[in-house]
């Protein structure tokens, strides 16, 4: 069969494939991932690419996705286009599935922020003596599923207990549970498996209500092949960590964009879709496909069989958790905001269609309320807030800002609708923390110094970049205290745009698109609304608890800020409270970390249930003064700077 | 559409049906049940009938099931024959599904034998104060599934816990479990159900490991529609009792022949079929079809929806229990006789294909060993043996004789391969205790007086009839002490048959078939081997326990003897030990009664698990003296009559 060479731009990735291979497959082989919502059926039109060199005929069914100009320029759908000669392909930004920088607690960051809780590392699980250290949130190593190798004594006329009794008798010598249960599917061919393997087997074990559950019997010794998946089911991005359950080590991480986005950007619009004209099934399938693709990719990369992945813990907000399990989320959006469940029952992988071991356990972290989900519970776990006597605070900044305050005796939470400004929405050049996003900004002598993710040409600006920018604009008096562009300003970067004044962050010659990257007054207003909503929520919860900010021993900040958040500047714009900077810690994706901790410890998972039940959620609508706090926060840093932000000086 | 009249012989049942109706359907409508293993597909050839008057064309595909003579005589398959004119049909015995007399503890019998434990009768289940009376085996009324009606308070902003939390909060006021779980299928449309029913719902609840399991949510108040099925899965017959779980009352009972019989008469031949050329799947489907037909019949008769049947408890021997759940029984027959499981996990009805509520619970009573199954555990439950300080004995006479001896401190069991002589096998005219079977025999002055089941003409002789007959033959000196026909005998009923001497029980003019009903020496030999195996097993177990017979406070006799067993005569032939007759009780189908008790009480079900784990099973091959005991028992009543059967005098 003939072979052809395909080069993918802008990354210059190259691959040689057989004649007739579809472009989308060639992309995958080259490590270029394309948007493909419909799974390559040619119906979603998301995998648009442009042929730069060489020729390929556009499929008749695809023409409706393009304008005449686009067809002339060489646009095709990658999933509908077979390769018949050497090609050079340009992937336009909208078709790229960029690697997320936000993915997880990245290594360098983990070192920095997780001083108190070092990465989990065990040489061997120790079942009998559980070494518990206080303030180590993941010390009770007991993965949700474990594999135990057993050599069964052969039955004799004096010892002719049933096969299952024989298994349990040996298991008891290694794991102490009060009793054991074996699921029916596991019993069907047990007779053959035991005898076919010379009475040497490996049992996959989980635990439910304290009772050992045998999920699987394998022939021979497979105890070293046991993996789990920790999943952060975000509204925007889905991230999977593959974890070796024998050692607790993370062996890989992958993320992609939540394919539900095609049915609505945020949680409310997706609920509206499901409960209006749309279908729950479609959204459930979309996110399950997200997870399956990530798991499959990781398994292939690491040379692991998917059947050896025996458990998965997912953390997500309440809506994401409901949809993942196929539960109607409709009542979440309607006053009085009641979800169907808070504690999600464990289900088998087969039951929800996750492509790991069909008998594998899927556990979704419990929610607290309609707008405080398992991702927040995961954050509380990751920061070990519920075990310490000191009062700490978790601020998770996203489209909703979730705030938890408390200690080992009490915990309060609330959720503020902040809007997507810090996640790349609501602003013209806003983008998520992916390749090409400006994540750091400094203004020195009228010059704008910035850094982009991946050192690429700027494609936009992400949350941490916006915080830096607003701070720098305020410090340089380009923005007034009321966050409006100074009208008297003489500055070549200030121009008059369609929607009022704009500040040029990067000139056309600097950017990838060749257009100027600007921040208009309307953009600033949107960011200010987000930061005001979050700060007002923190302030309201602190007041509700009868505390002041300096009584907080520590503030943990989580959210989609990539690897970087300048704490000083976040306080400087009035997003975070003005407490000593060393008491504020950016923890990145605490949802994923909490999910992994629960995956690695049944005890931590049980603690999650306890946390979800013990946190008192406060509806912001109950705070009489919330609106006042919000209005007072629409300033840089705050209308009451002297009392609330004494250390902030521009 | 034209109507035709069909008369079914020999029962003279008549029905009018539409043109084209199949004979098998017409039979069902007339209340004539035909053997139909394949479910009417025309492939098993079991529904043979003969057309006596009128005509119907034999189906071309059916001819292979008949000889030329049969076709000429008018034989057809009822399932393949459409009705085109008035017909008269003769159903030959082999095609009849006779009503079993053995079915269950019939009313008259229950009154007689269950003095100590009156039929379960409760006006209302009482959840809180469980009235426990010692020696009442079914006092702890708590059905495996119950329905609880709940009126939920509507959520408000001050009380916006999730739907499930709201359900559990109300449930707790009515049922006290430490915690509750709700299965995923039940959560899927919970949102709609609760709101669609004005917050008035009924929860179906079961219990697993002490934790409440919500299986189903129904709209409105359905608490009075909750039923369960108790099933005796016998090797030969399957019996289902339909029970009202709200009151504990039995509302109907039906039985049929285990359709597995087509793949082998006894347990060993069925194991051979499954593990040799055959398929487990086929046998599992056969018995599940048995149960489904019975449940469907009962539900229709009583006007009950099958979805309102929410639980089922089955009792069967170890092989039947394995096959029912689709577990390979192969190791049961091979030394050292190890089954796959002893404790069967609870499964959903959907999982095994039982046509009750798909989420309904199927629970199989635990086994003790390969040849002591859940039917024996049920018997121990029914006789309340495990709760009393007095030592009692249960003898279940079937193809295997199972014997249990013990009290509330210890229990021993053993199983003897007795052969099917008492169940109608191994003898020329032997039959099960169904219509037309001779069940009582007396010989007075050379005349044979007998009674048949249903007062019909004799078609054969069942177990209890054979016991009577042997006793009477011995008493009248027609049989010698070594169970051989007296050679010197001058008697018109003694004739020389193909296989030696035969005794005519009924002359040709008396029987249904017009042939003489005889018992040959070979038949006597087979019966003697059965009775010797059972008595030797009882004697061995008593010796093993270091007891003597008169230390038994009571002997319970169970088995397929219909409604009748003459205790005096059973002792007289040396089948049962010679203890005071009022201490021997015939309990009929104790397996079905135990299954019903477990269905009506979670506590009794838990007790069954305890029983199965605490009984020590003794392999007869370990009794050095078993062979000697067996040889000594091949006499009437026993070679050591003076010591072991002092009260027996012919």
């Amino acid at each position: 069969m003939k072979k052809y060479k395909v080069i993918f731009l802008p990354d210059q990735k190259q691959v040689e494939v057989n004649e007739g291979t579809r472009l989308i497959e060639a992309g995958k082989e080259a490590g270029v991932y394309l948007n493909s919502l419909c799974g390559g059926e040619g119906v979603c039109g998301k995998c648009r690419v442009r042929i730069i060199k060489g020729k390929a005929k556009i499929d008749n069914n695809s023409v409706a996705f393009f304008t005449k100009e686009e067809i002339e320029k060489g646009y095709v759908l990658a999933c509908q286009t077979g390769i018949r000669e050497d090609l050079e392909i340009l992937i336009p930004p909208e078709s790229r599935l960029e690697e997320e920088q936000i993915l997880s607690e990245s290594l360098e960051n983990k070192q920095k922020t997780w001083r108190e809780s070092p990465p989990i590392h065990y040489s061997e699980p120790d079942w009998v003596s559980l070494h518990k250290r206080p303030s180590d949130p993941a010390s009770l190593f007991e993965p949700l599923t474990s594999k135990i190798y057993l050599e069964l004594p052969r039955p004799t006329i004096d010892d002719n207990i049933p096969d299952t009794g024989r298994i349990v008798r040996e298991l008891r010598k290694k794991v102490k549970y009060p009793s054991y249960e074996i699921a029916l599917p596991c019993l069907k061919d047990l007779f053959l498996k035991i005898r076919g393997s010379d009475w040497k087997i490996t049992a996959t074990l989980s635990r439910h209500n304290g009772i050992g559950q045998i999920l699987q019997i394998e022939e021979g010794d497979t105890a070293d092949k046991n993996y789990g998946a920790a999943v952060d089911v975000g509204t925007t991005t889905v991230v999977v960590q593959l974890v070796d359950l024998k050692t607790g080590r993370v062996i890989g991480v992958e993320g992609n964009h939540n394919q539900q986005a095609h049915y609505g950007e945020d949680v409310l619009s997706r609920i509206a879709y499901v409960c209006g004209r749309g279908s729950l099934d479609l959204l459930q399938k979309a996110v399950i496909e997200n997870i399956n693709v990530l798991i499959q990719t990781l398994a292939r990369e690491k040379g692991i069989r998917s059947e050896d992945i025996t458990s998965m813990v997912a953390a997500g907000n309440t809506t994401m958790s409901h949809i993942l399990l196929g539960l109607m989320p409709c009542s979440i959006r309607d006053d009085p905001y009641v979800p169907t469940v808070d504690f999600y029952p464990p289900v088998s992988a087969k039951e929800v269609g996750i492509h790991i071991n069909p008998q594998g356990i899927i556990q979704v972290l419990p929610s607290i309320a309609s707008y405080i989900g398992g991702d927040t519970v995961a954050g509380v776990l990751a920061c070990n807030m519920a075990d310490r006597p000191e009062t700490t605070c978790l601020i998770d900044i996203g489209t909703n800002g979730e705030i938890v305050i408390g200690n080992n005796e009490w915990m309060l939470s609330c959720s503020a609708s902040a809007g997507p400004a810090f996640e790349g929405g609501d602003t013209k050049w806003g983008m998520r923390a992916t390749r090409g996003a400006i994540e750091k900004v400094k203004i020195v002598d009228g010059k704008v110094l910035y850094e982009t993710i991946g050192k690429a040409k700027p494609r936009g600006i992400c949350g941490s970049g916006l915080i830096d920018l607003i701070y720098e604009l305020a410090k340089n008096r380009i923005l007034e205290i009321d966050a409006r562009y100074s009208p008297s300003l003489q500055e070549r970067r200030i121009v008059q745009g369609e929607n009022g004044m704009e500040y040029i962050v990067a000139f056309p010659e600097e950017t990838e698109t060749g257009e100027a990257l600007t921040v208009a007054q309307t953009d600033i207003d949107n960011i200010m609304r987000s930061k005001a909503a979050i700060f007002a929520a923190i302030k309201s919860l602190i007041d509700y608890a009868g505390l002041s900010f300096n009584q907080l021993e520590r503030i943990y900040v989580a959210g989609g800020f990539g690897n970087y958040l300048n704490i000083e500047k976040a306080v400087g714009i009035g997003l975070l409270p003005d407490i000593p900077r060393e008491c504020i810690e950016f923890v990145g994706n605490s949802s994923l970390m909490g999910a992994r901790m629960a995956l690695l410890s049944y005890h931590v998972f049980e603690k999650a249930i306890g946390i979800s039940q013990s946190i008192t959620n406060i509806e912001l609508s109950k705070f009489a003064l919330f609106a006042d706090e919000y209005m007072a926060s629409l300033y840089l840093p705050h209308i009451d700077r002297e009392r609330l932000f004494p250390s902030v000086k521009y």
Side-chain angles (χ1 to χ4, degrees), chain A residues 7 14 42 98 165 170 256 338 356 392-393 421 447 457 547 565 583 621 627:
Chain A
I7 299 169
Q14 189 172 319
E98 296 283 347
E170 293 307 306
N256 54 19
V338 174
I356 61 171
T392 61
C393 175
K447 275 188 196 155
K457 276 194 163 189
L547 298 175
L565 175 72
C583 298
S621 57

Side-chain angles (χ1 to χ4, degrees), chain A residues 243-287:
Chain A
V243 182
D244 184 331
L245 296 183
K246 193 161 190 216
T247 61
R249 252 184 286 261
V250 175
I251 55 174
V253 59
E254 288 283 348
N256 54 19
H257 298 175
N258 192 328
Q259 297 200 3
Q260 292 174 352
H262 298 280
Y263 306 100
E265 267 296 310
D266 55 23
V267 156
L268 286 179
S269 57
R270 288 189 210 162
I271 296 180
Y273 177 81
V274 166
C275 306
R277 71 201 148 83
S279 110
L280 171 61
D281 194 45
L282 220 58
L283 261 75
Q284 187 191 14
K285 280 200 179 125
V287 70

Side-chain angles (χ1 to χ4, degrees), chain A residues 42 56-64 66 75-77 79-81:
Chain A
K57 210 175 146 256
I58 187 164
D59 177 67
N60 279 339
N61 293 324
S62 309
V63 292
F66 304 101
Y75 274 89
V76 294
L77 291 187
C79 72
Q80 297 299 309
T81 308

Side-chain angles (χ1 to χ4, degrees), chain A residues 374-431:
Chain A
D375 47 355
T376 303
V377 172
V380 171
L381 281 179
C383 301
N384 197 23
M385 293 171 69
D387 276 354
R388 283 182 292 165
E390 307 89 28
T391 302
T392 61
C393 175
L394 171 66
I395 302 168
D396 192 348
I397 299 174
T399 307
N400 274 297
E402 290 107 8
I403 296 126
V404 181
I405 294 177
N407 53 42
N408 59 0
E409 291 186 347
W410 57 269
M411 303 202 101
L412 293 175
S413 69
C414 76
S415 165
S417 182
F422 289 120
E423 294 189 307
D426 275 359
T427 55
K428 188 177 173 195
W429 288 93
M431 65 180 284

Side-chain angles (χ1 to χ4, degrees), chain A residues 321-547:
Chain A
S321 301
H322 272 61
I323 294 175
L324 176 62
L325 294 179
L327 309 180
M328 289 297 265
C330 311
S331 52
I332 289 175
R333 90 191 139 153
D334 297 326
D335 187 358
Y337 318 114
V338 174
T340 293
V341 285
D342 44 3
F343 175 69
Y344 306 93
V347 295
S348 69
K350 197 174 54 181
E351 216 171 337
V352 287
I354 298 284
H355 295 162
I356 61 171
N357 188 305
Q359 305 305 324
I361 298 281
I362 309 294
Q363 196 70 262
V364 177
L365 283 176
S367 306
I368 298 162
S370 273
Y371 294 101
I372 301 274
D375 47 355
T376 303
V377 172
V380 171
L381 281 179
C383 301
N384 197 23
M385 293 171 69
D387 276 354
R388 283 182 292 165
E390 307 89 28
T391 302
T392 61
C393 175
L394 171 66
I395 302 168
D396 192 348
I397 299 174
T399 307
N400 274 297
E402 290 107 8
I403 296 126
V404 181
I405 294 177
N407 53 42
N408 59 0
E409 291 186 347
W410 57 269
M411 303 202 101
L412 293 175
S413 69
C414 76
S415 165
S417 182
F422 289 120
E423 294 189 307
D426 275 359
T427 55
K428 188 177 173 195
W429 288 93
M431 65 180 284
R432 284 188 303 272
T434 62
R435 201 178 137 79
I438 292 176
E439 61 167 354
K440 291 188 193 181
V441 179
K442 213 169 181 182
I443 301 177
V444 182
D445 300 332
K447 275 188 196 155
V448 178
L449 309 174
Y450 55 77
E451 280 181 27
T452 61
I453 295 175
K455 313 278 177 220
K457 276 194 163 189
R459 288 174 53 210
I461 181 163
C462 69
S464 51
L466 287 171
I467 291 169
D468 276 20
L469 179 67
I470 304 269
Y471 176 84
E472 294 291 329
L473 292 174
K475 193 178 169 197
N476 288 277
R477 310 259 171 222
I478 300 165
L479 282 177
E480 307 268 352
I481 187 174
D482 61 357
R484 304 207 66 76
Y485 284 119
S486 209
S488 58
L489 212 65
Q490 292 299 325
E491 153 78 83
R492 65 174 184 125
R493 285 180 182 263
I494 293 276
V495 292
Q496 193 66 29
E498 283 174 24
N499 301 307
M501 288 166 79
E502 288 180 353
Y503 182 85
I504 298 170
V505 181
F507 290 105
E509 58 272 25
E510 299 170 58
T511 66
E512 192 190 296
T513 55
E515 281 185 65
L517 197 160
T518 59
V519 177
Q521 183 65 54
T522 50
D523 297 333
I524 301 282
D525 294 348
N526 286 333
I527 298 162
M528 287 302 288
R529 281 198 281 270
S530 286
K531 87 102 188 168
I534 288 166
F535 184 78
I538 304 170
K539 179 70 167 49
S540 298
L541 204 59
I542 282 284
D543 288 351
Y544 186 93
L547 298 175

Side-chain angles (χ1 to χ4, degrees), chain A residues 113-114 116-117 135-137 376-388 390 392-395 406 411 553-558 585-591 593-594 597 611:
Chain A
T113 60
W114 287 96
E116 291 169 331
S117 18
S135 93
D136 181 346
T376 303
V377 172
V380 171
L381 281 179
C383 301
N384 197 23
M385 293 171 69
D387 276 354
R388 283 182 292 165
E390 307 89 28
T392 61
C393 175
L394 171 66
I395 302 168
M411 303 202 101
E553 210 253 353
R554 187 161 284 270
I555 291 177
Y556 301 102
V557 184
E585 216 173 88
F586 174 54
V587 295
N589 191 338
S590 61
S591 170
M593 180 174 233
M597 283 163 57
I611 288 170

